[in-house]
Amino acid sequence: MPLFKQRKVGKDEAKKRVERCLVVARDSPDPAFDVSKCGATEVPKGVYSLCRVLQKEALLLYDNALTNLKGGGDLKDLSSLRVLDLHDNFLTTLPADIDQLKSLQVLNVQNNKLRALPASIGNLAALQSLNLQGNELRSLPAEIGNLKSLRTLNISENSNLPGVPPTLAHVRTLETIILDTDKISFPPKDISSEGTASIMKYLCKVAGIEYVPPSKHLLPVLDPVRNGSAPTKMWGPVPVDELVANTLSQHEEEKEKRRQQMIELQRQMQEAEKEQQALAAAASKQHNDLMDKIRTAEAELDDRTLWQQQQQEHERQKMVSAMAAGEQLTNDTVAMILQVNERAQKAEMILDELEQERMRTEQLIKVTQEEAEKLRKEEVLASMARLLESQENQGRLIREYERTRDIAANQAMNESLEADSRLLGILNEQYDDRDVLISEISKQERAQMEAIQALQLQTDAKHRRITSQISMLQDELSRLTLTELDKREERQDVERTVLESKREALTGLLVQLVGEQQKREDELMKRLVEMEHKREADIEDYWLIQYQRLLESKPQTLLEKQCDSNIYDILAEAEAQDYAAHFARHRVTWEMLKTMTDSELKELGIHELGVRKAILSVVQERLRFDVKAKEKEREIETPAEAPVPSPAPPAPIPTQSTPTAPVIEHQDMTTECVVCMDRRADVVLLNCGHVCCCFNCSTSLSNCPMCRNPVVQRVRIFLS
């Protein structure tokens, strides 16, 4: 039966629990790294390396939802681990490189879903307790006989397990075997029911070796895990389960202490949050005042725009009236043309009647043919003269109509261009005013952010405490370095050894405090950035809507005129002049167009694939032409015999990651640089902790000039 019942934990709650356990495990001096009962589905990243760095002896991952041991890092980092507790999870397999845990003594995988064990488990030479209870094992590997230190083996509640391998007889130290006698077929039921000694005798008989009682093969019992105490060794048949239970009880006590510490830490965080809320309320009030001013300016801008639109609507109505008068004149002209056509038709009808009359006259009376023809010719000429006259009148009317229409169109076009130019001037003034206002707002916001950041660093108690502690440690390290130099000259080895031990302890504290200081500053900056993002999110949609309205109300002709001349030439070459307004609306320049892709052109509103390809091809041709032109100019400007100047050696640039410390006030504790002998020593070399050289000389050093230890990090001291 599991010791703890597993509960379902939400994803967010599980993440918070894992983070809380990691923080507690890092800060706790307990040799056990506890990440249990968190609902984690995988081993948190970096847990294995943390166990190695913090020198943890036990890793507790029980009562989670783990399916494998991946994600925690490299198992080589657990080479010094002695206890690995994985019970009440969902593990189906153990990693093949489990043998990297060279010092493992207790492995508890109870109540999982293991179906087989890797053969590499036989390489765990220090393993003394192996708990496989409540799994789905079908067989045990023969390599389990290589566990020369195994004392307790629990394989009960594995319904598909037929028995133990005969190679288990080679484990001479095995004291306890726990199995289900009614389910195991090897060894037989009558032998397995008699106990561990009978089982081992039977296995030795099958393997053909002599049985030796485990009391003749004594092993060191698991060292009890105690805070601050050195590991001790006990000899004799002390039960491992009892030691594990003691370890778990001590761990529960440590967890209760850590819980009290977490409650105190949460209280301090709540007080800090109240201070942050007060600052946020003040910033919000300033922001609201600024927004009121912006709304007032925007209302005035809307009124001016509405007045301009009314003026333009009035001019448009005038143009419509003029066009209506032109259309009425056209209608009158068309009616006149229709009357002329009717008259022509009537003339043709008269001719037909005359022809009929002539034929009747020829039939009735006989006139000479010459008189009849003469009469007919006169009639035809007269009718043709009338027809030509009517056509000439019709052409004259059409020319007068076209001339009147062109005059009206030119006047309307000139008035429209004048209105557009006036509107363009007004819009440019509005854009200039808006840019000035935005720049002023940005300057005020940056000033507010810098003031809040400085105020956070000044009011943060933890940051002040860490800074003061760093200053004290640097003073102490400087004093120890001076003392060590004096002792080295006097050759007092014993006192110098004591100073070195003190210096190493102070160096470790200095490294830890520098990390905490940087971490605290990053947390404060993260809070400030979150506040800024929240504030920007409140006004982002409003400005986007106003900007879109202005763009939509802008006339198309003005947008085309604002298009860059280079871009307009490229569009003309690609036969895409109709899209000039799109480029002008988004203020696309030649530098932006050089780096645009097909998807970005599509976002501008150019949906035709052929047009996009034509624009991109023209841009590539322009770029190739510019490159060739620059190469030719470079060949012309650079003389053939001009000597190439040798580049100056670059000046040493200090890395940005170099941490700095507060100013040391005591001038008498500084020493001169042991390298250049000119400047004062102002750098703490880590991890040795010596203050023996200046910053310029330390950048080129890889080893400490005093103790010859490698330099891992440099902490600069700014001298007043």
Side-chain angles (χ1 to χ4, degrees):
M1 294 295 293
L3 296 176
F4 306 99
K5 182 180 289 185
Q6 194 169 3
R7 297 183 303 171
K8 292 185 178 179
V9 182
K11 185 180 294 184
D12 296 338
E13 184 180 356
K15 186 176 180 181
K16 292 179 181 178
R17 289 187 180 183
V18 170
E19 293 177 353
R20 189 182 301 114
C21 288
L22 290 176
V23 172
V24 173
R26 290 192 191 99
D27 299 338
S28 174
D30 190 355
F33 197 100
D34 188 2
V35 197
S36 60
K37 299 182 181 179
C38 298
T41 56
E42 62 180 5
V43 182
K45 185 177 181 181
V47 167
Y48 300 160
S49 60
L50 283 175
C51 290
R52 176 178 59 82
V53 172
L54 301 176
Q55 298 181 355
K56 299 294 184 180
E57 298 180 354
L59 178 57
L60 308 180
L61 294 170
Y62 61 86
D63 204 358
N64 284 297
L66 304 177
T67 57
N68 54 61
L69 297 181
K70 299 178 181 178
D74 193 353
L75 288 179
K76 291 182 180 179
D77 295 333
L78 301 179
S79 58
S80 61
L81 195 69
R82 294 164 53 196
V83 178
L84 179 59
D85 194 349
L86 301 170
H87 74 267
D88 291 314
N89 280 287
F90 301 101
L91 298 175
T92 56
T93 57
L94 292 177
D97 54 347
I98 192 70
D99 56 348
Q100 298 290 339
L101 282 65
K102 303 294 184 181
S103 304
L104 190 63
Q105 296 181 359
V106 177
L107 177 59
N108 186 1
V109 289
Q110 179 182 356
N111 294 330
N112 280 277
K113 298 186 180 298
L114 296 175
R115 296 185 179 180
L117 297 178
S120 58
I121 199 171
N123 298 329
L124 300 176
L127 189 63
Q128 297 186 23
S129 176
L130 179 59
N131 190 351
L132 302 172
Q133 179 183 359
N135 284 278
E136 301 175 0
L137 294 174
R138 299 179 180 177
S139 62
L140 295 177
E143 288 78 6
I144 200 171
N146 298 331
L147 300 175
K148 302 302 182 182
S149 303
L150 188 63
R151 300 175 59 185
T152 302
L153 176 63
N154 187 350
I155 57 174
S156 60
E157 298 182 17
N158 286 274
S159 58
N160 298 324
L161 187 63
V164 297
T167 56
L168 194 62
H170 297 282
V171 183
R172 299 294 188 172
T173 59
L174 190 60
E175 298 176 354
T176 304
I177 300 178
I178 303 174
L179 46 78
D180 298 330
T181 57
D182 54 344
K183 298 179 182 179
I184 296 296
S185 59
F186 182 84
K189 182 177 181 180
D190 54 348
I191 294 176
S192 59
S193 60
E194 293 179 359
T196 304
S198 299
I199 294 174
M200 293 303 295
K201 289 178 181 179
Y202 178 79
L203 294 177
C204 290
K205 181 179 179 181
V206 172
I209 59 178
E210 182 182 0
Y211 171 72
V212 179
S215 58
K216 295 183 179 182
H217 296 275
L218 297 179
L219 290 173
V221 180
L222 289 176
D223 297 342
V225 181
R226 298 169 184 164
N227 294 334
S229 64
T232 60
K233 292 191 176 181
M234 302 171 59
W235 300 88
V238 180
V240 177
D241 295 338
E242 182 179 353
L243 294 174
V244 174
N246 293 334
T247 302
L248 292 176
S249 63
Q250 294 176 2
H251 174 65
E252 291 296 331
E253 294 176 359
E254 293 295 333
K255 285 181 64 176
E256 181 64 24
K257 293 180 181 179
R258 290 196 297 271
R259 190 179 68 82
Q260 297 296 334
Q261 294 175 358
M262 290 297 295
I263 292 174
E264 180 65 20
L265 181 61
Q266 289 178 357
R267 185 184 64 78
Q268 295 177 0
M269 291 178 65
Q270 289 177 357
E271 294 178 356
E273 286 180 358
K274 290 180 180 178
E275 295 178 358
Q276 296 295 333
Q277 289 176 359
L279 292 174
S284 177
K285 185 175 182 300
Q286 295 179 358
H287 174 263
N288 292 332
D289 296 340
L290 185 60
M291 289 300 299
D292 292 338
K293 294 180 180 178
I294 293 174
R295 291 191 186 96
T296 304
E298 190 66 24
E300 295 177 356
L301 181 62
D302 291 340
D303 294 339
R304 293 173 60 186
T305 305
L306 180 60
W307 179 82
Q308 187 65 30
Q309 290 178 353
Q310 291 176 354
Q311 294 294 327
Q312 191 173 2
E313 181 66 21
H314 182 66
E315 294 177 357
R316 188 182 66 81
Q317 291 178 357
K318 289 182 179 179
M319 292 172 59
V320 169
S321 300
M323 292 178 66
E327 290 179 356
Q328 183 63 33
L329 181 60
T330 303
N331 294 332
D332 296 340
T333 305
V334 171
M336 188 180 297
I337 293 172
L338 292 176
Q339 291 178 2
V340 172
N341 290 333
E342 289 179 357
R343 291 175 183 176
Q345 291 177 359
K346 290 179 179 179
E348 290 177 356
M349 292 175 63
I350 292 172
L351 290 175
D352 293 339
E353 292 177 356
L354 290 174
E355 184 66 23
Q356 292 177 2
E357 185 67 26
R358 185 186 62 79
M359 292 176 64
R360 285 195 299 269
T361 304
E362 287 180 354
Q363 292 177 1
L364 296 175
I365 57 174
K366 296 198 177 167
V367 216
T368 58
Q369 188 175 0
E370 293 178 355
E371 292 178 352
E373 288 179 357
K374 183 178 179 181
L375 181 60
R376 186 173 62 83
K377 288 180 180 180
E378 291 176 355
E379 295 277 343
V380 170
L381 289 173
S383 62
M384 290 179 66
R386 290 193 298 271
L387 181 61
L388 290 173
E389 185 179 0
S390 64
Q391 289 179 354
E392 185 178 0
N393 293 332
Q394 182 181 359
R396 186 174 65 255
L397 293 173
I398 291 173
R399 287 192 297 272
E400 290 178 356
Y401 163 74
E402 290 177 350
R403 183 168 55 81
T404 306
R405 184 187 62 186
D406 293 337
I407 293 172
N410 291 330
Q411 291 178 355
M413 183 64 69
N414 293 330
E415 292 175 355
S416 177
L417 290 175
E418 291 176 358
D420 291 343
S421 63
R422 290 195 298 272
L423 181 59
L424 180 60
I426 294 172
L427 290 176
N428 289 331
E429 293 177 357
Q430 293 175 356
Y431 287 148
D432 295 337
D433 295 341
R434 187 194 63 183
D435 293 338
V436 171
L437 183 60
I438 289 175
S439 63
E440 292 177 357
I441 293 172
S442 301
K443 291 179 181 178
Q444 293 177 1
E445 289 178 349
R446 285 195 297 270
Q448 290 176 2
M449 182 180 294
E450 292 174 357
I452 292 174
Q453 181 181 357
L455 183 60
Q456 280 184 338
L457 293 177
Q458 292 175 3
T459 58
D460 188 71
K462 184 175 180 181
H463 186 271
R464 292 200 305 272
R465 177 179 57 81
I466 293 173
T467 304
S468 62
Q469 291 178 357
I470 289 175
S471 178
M472 294 171 59
L473 288 176
Q474 289 175 348
D475 293 343
E476 189 64 26
L477 285 174
S478 300
R479 189 178 295 107
L480 286 176
T481 302
L482 289 173
T483 306
E484 188 174 353
L485 289 174
D486 297 335
K487 299 300 180 182
R488 176 174 292 183
E489 293 175 356
E490 297 174 3
R491 298 187 178 277
Q492 298 181 8
D493 297 334
V494 176
E495 294 183 4
R496 191 171 62 210
T497 304
V498 174
L499 290 176
E500 288 179 356
S501 62
K502 291 182 179 180
R503 175 169 44 78
E504 291 175 356
L506 291 174
T507 302
L509 290 175
L510 178 61
V511 172
Q512 183 178 0
L513 288 175
V514 169
E516 291 179 357
Q517 183 187 33
Q518 186 63 34
K519 181 178 179 181
R520 186 60 179 176
E521 290 178 356
D522 293 341
E523 290 177 356
L524 294 176
M525 181 56 67
K526 184 178 179 182
R527 291 180 184 175
L528 187 60
V529 171
E530 289 176 355
M531 292 169 58
E532 182 65 14
H533 288 174
K534 184 177 180 181
R535 185 189 65 78
E536 291 177 356
D538 295 335
I539 65 173
E540 182 179 5
D541 294 338
Y542 174 80
W543 285 112
L544 288 176
I545 292 171
Q546 297 300 325
Y547 184 72
Q548 186 65 28
R549 287 178 179 174
L550 288 175
L551 290 180
E552 290 176 355
S553 62
K554 195 171 185 180
Q556 193 77 4
T557 56
L558 292 180
L559 289 174
E560 293 179 356
K561 290 181 179 179
Q562 288 183 350
C563 182
D564 191 358
S565 59
N566 293 332
I567 295 178
Y568 192 85
D569 294 340
I570 292 173
L571 295 177
E573 189 174 351
E575 298 182 357
Q577 300 93 325
D578 297 335
Y579 295 96
H582 294 73
F583 287 84
R585 181 178 292 110
H586 294 85
R587 296 187 178 182
V588 179
T589 62
W590 166 240
E591 298 297 329
M592 297 169 61
L593 185 59
K594 288 193 295 186
T595 59
M596 276 191 174
T597 60
D598 184 81
S599 59
E600 292 176 347
L601 290 177
K602 189 175 182 180
E603 291 177 359
L604 288 179
I606 306 175
H607 300 288
E608 288 79 7
L609 179 60
V611 175
R612 296 200 300 269
K613 290 184 177 179
I615 294 174
L616 292 176
S617 62
V618 172
V619 171
Q620 295 299 326
E621 291 177 2
R622 287 287 185 95
L623 291 176
R624 287 194 292 270
F625 179 78
D626 293 341
V627 170
K628 292 180 180 178
K630 289 181 180 179
E631 291 177 355
K632 289 182 179 179
E633 292 177 0
R634 194 179 297 112
E635 292 175 358
I636 294 173
E637 293 176 358
T638 305
E641 299 179 358
V644 179
S646 60
I653 300 175
T655 58
Q656 296 180 356
S657 61
T658 303
T660 60
V663 178
I664 296 179
E665 298 178 356
H666 305 286
Q667 295 291 336
D668 55 353
M669 292 190 300
T670 59
T671 60
E672 64 180 5
C673 177
V674 300
V675 179
C676 63
M677 310 294 275
D678 293 330
R679 303 181 182 88
R680 291 184 176 181
D682 58 349
V683 174
V684 181
L685 301 179
L686 302 179
N687 287 328
C688 64
H690 283 121
V691 185
C692 58
C693 60
C694 62
F695 181 79
N696 293 333
C697 296
S698 67
T699 55
S700 59
L701 295 177
S702 59
N703 295 326
C704 178
M706 290 187 63
C707 61
R708 301 304 178 187
N709 288 327
V711 177
V712 179
Q713 191 177 5
R714 301 170 180 82
V715 179
R716 188 172 184 180
I717 304 173
F718 289 97
L719 300 174
S720 59

